[in-house]
């Protein structure tokens, strides 16, 4: 995991969180949170080789007491009673939704940090309907790619259609909104004037983005 994503995910976590890093890969988030003082961490992955590397990294950093490892397909093999926080980063929206769909497993989860690679409106809609509030979104740039990292807290919230589509307005994400607006303009210039429906859809998105830029 690249440094900016790692730092942003960890900034959304607290040392008192009892966290599960689902799909931990090499356990970078778990190790960083252990360094910050978190005492209850479970690092899981569906791939045995990735989990073996995670275990070696954890042992090399001397955090085997704070971080436990478990081979698991999502949450299927995990006993959830002792945990209240989930981190799921670097997966597709469909996979994340599949993991979170086990409502019995989710009963004690009060906080989630999610980062999907695509289809963010679908993810926002699902998690919001699952009973979580979207508290913050941070968009970071690494190697010419943008990543949206979301903080969700258990509770009732009604997201607007604009928030579902574009996310929560955050002042620090202005550069991303500007790039998105420009891409919509490029698309607008390519579409024939006869395709009025598509033109109107793009103009509507631009109007919302302009509101974000002017906020």
């Amino acid at each position: 995991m690249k440094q900016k994503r790692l730092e942003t995910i960890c900034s959304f976590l607290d040392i008192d969180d009892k966290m599960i890093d689902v799909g931990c890969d090499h356990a970078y988030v778990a190790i960083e949170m252990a360094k910050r003082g978190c005492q209850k961490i479970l690092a899981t992955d569906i791939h045995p080789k990735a989990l073996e590397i995670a275990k070696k990294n954890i042992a090399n950093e001397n955090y085997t007491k704070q971080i436990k490892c478990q081979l698991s397909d999502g949450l299927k093999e995990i006993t959830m009673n002792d945990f209240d926080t989930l981190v799921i980063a670097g997966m597709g929206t469909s996979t994340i939704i599949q993991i979170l769909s086990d409502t019995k497993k989710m009963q004690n989860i009060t906080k989630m940090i999610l980062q999907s690679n695509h289809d963010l409106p679908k993810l926002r809609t699902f998690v919001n309907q699952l009973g979580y509030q979207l508290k913050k979104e941070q968009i970071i740039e690494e190697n010419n790619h943008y990543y949206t990292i979301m903080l969700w807290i258990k509770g009732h919230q009604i997201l607007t259609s604009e928030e579902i589509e574009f996310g929560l307005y955050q002042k620090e994400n202005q550069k991303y909104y500007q790039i998105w607006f420009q891409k919509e303009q490029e698309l607008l210039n390519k579409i024939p004037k006869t395709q009025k429906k598509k033109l109107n859809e793009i103009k509507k998105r631009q109007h919302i983005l302009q509101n974000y830029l002017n906020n």
Side-chain angles (χ1 to χ4, degrees):
M1 180 176 289
K2 300 296 184 180
Q3 192 63 28
K4 283 185 181 179
R5 270 183 289 168
L6 174 65
E7 290 175 356
T8 302
I9 290 169
C10 291
S11 74
F12 288 173
L13 291 163
D14 301 300
I15 62 172
D16 293 331
D17 291 336
K18 300 175 181 66
M19 58 169 282
I20 306 171
D21 186 3
V22 182
C24 69
D25 196 29
H26 295 171
Y28 296 132
V29 171
I31 291 169
E32 179 59 30
M33 288 310 299
K35 288 179 180 179
R36 298 184 185 195
C38 191
Q39 296 296 311
K40 184 76 175 179
I41 306 171
L42 180 63
T44 80
D45 207 285
I46 193 173
H47 302 292
K49 288 185 179 179
L51 201 63
E52 284 302 314
I53 294 172
K55 288 178 180 178
K56 289 179 182 178
N57 290 339
I58 292 163
N60 289 339
E61 297 285 351
N62 295 316
Y63 287 120
T64 53
K65 289 184 179 179
Q66 295 96 322
I67 308 171
K68 304 303 178 185
C69 294
Q70 185 170 346
L71 189 68
S72 180
D73 179 0
L75 303 175
K76 290 180 181 178
E77 285 77 32
I78 300 171
T79 301
M80 304 291 291
N81 297 344
D82 295 333
F83 299 96
D84 57 22
T85 302
L86 290 184
V87 175
I88 309 178
M91 298 185 191
T93 284
S94 296
T95 302
I96 295 175
I97 288 175
Q98 185 178 6
I99 291 169
L100 301 181
S101 293
D102 190 338
T103 53
K104 289 184 179 179
K105 292 280 188 179
M106 294 294 295
Q107 285 180 357
N108 294 329
I109 300 300
T110 58
K111 180 178 181 178
M112 294 190 289
I113 293 85
L114 306 178
Q115 183 258 305
S116 173
N117 296 327
H118 57 77
D119 217 353
L120 298 183
K122 183 178 178 181
L123 181 61
R124 293 187 189 103
T125 299
F126 176 83
V127 180
N128 189 221
Q129 291 176 350
L130 197 62
Y132 291 84
Q133 303 175 40
L134 182 55
K135 303 299 287 187
K136 188 174 182 180
E137 290 191 326
Q138 191 163 335
I139 301 167
I140 59 169
E141 181 185 4
E142 282 189 329
N143 299 328
N144 297 317
H145 290 282
Y146 285 91
Y147 301 92
T148 300
I149 300 169
M150 306 176 183
L151 171 63
W152 295 87
I153 302 295
K154 199 165 191 176
H156 178 70
Q157 177 191 44
I158 299 175
L159 292 174
T160 66
S161 58
E162 290 85 0
E163 289 169 337
I164 290 290
E165 181 70 23
F166 298 98
L168 293 183
Y169 170 77
Q170 307 275 183
K171 187 177 181 180
E172 58 266 34
N173 296 334
Q174 284 274 329
K175 180 182 177 182
Y176 179 71
Y177 303 143
Q178 183 63 53
I179 290 172
W180 196 345
F181 183 89
Q182 290 171 350
K183 287 183 177 180
E184 293 289 349
Q185 185 61 48
E186 292 171 5
L187 186 60
L188 189 68
N189 294 337
K190 293 178 182 178
I191 295 177
K193 293 182 179 180
T194 53
Q195 297 186 24
K196 293 183 179 180
K197 185 177 179 180
K198 284 189 176 180
L199 290 171
N200 288 334
E201 288 173 354
I202 295 169
K203 288 177 181 178
K204 184 179 178 180
R205 291 197 296 270
Q206 280 191 311
H207 177 71
I208 296 169
L209 287 166
Q210 192 63 62
N211 287 339
Y212 274 45
L213 288 166
N214 295 336
N215 197 313

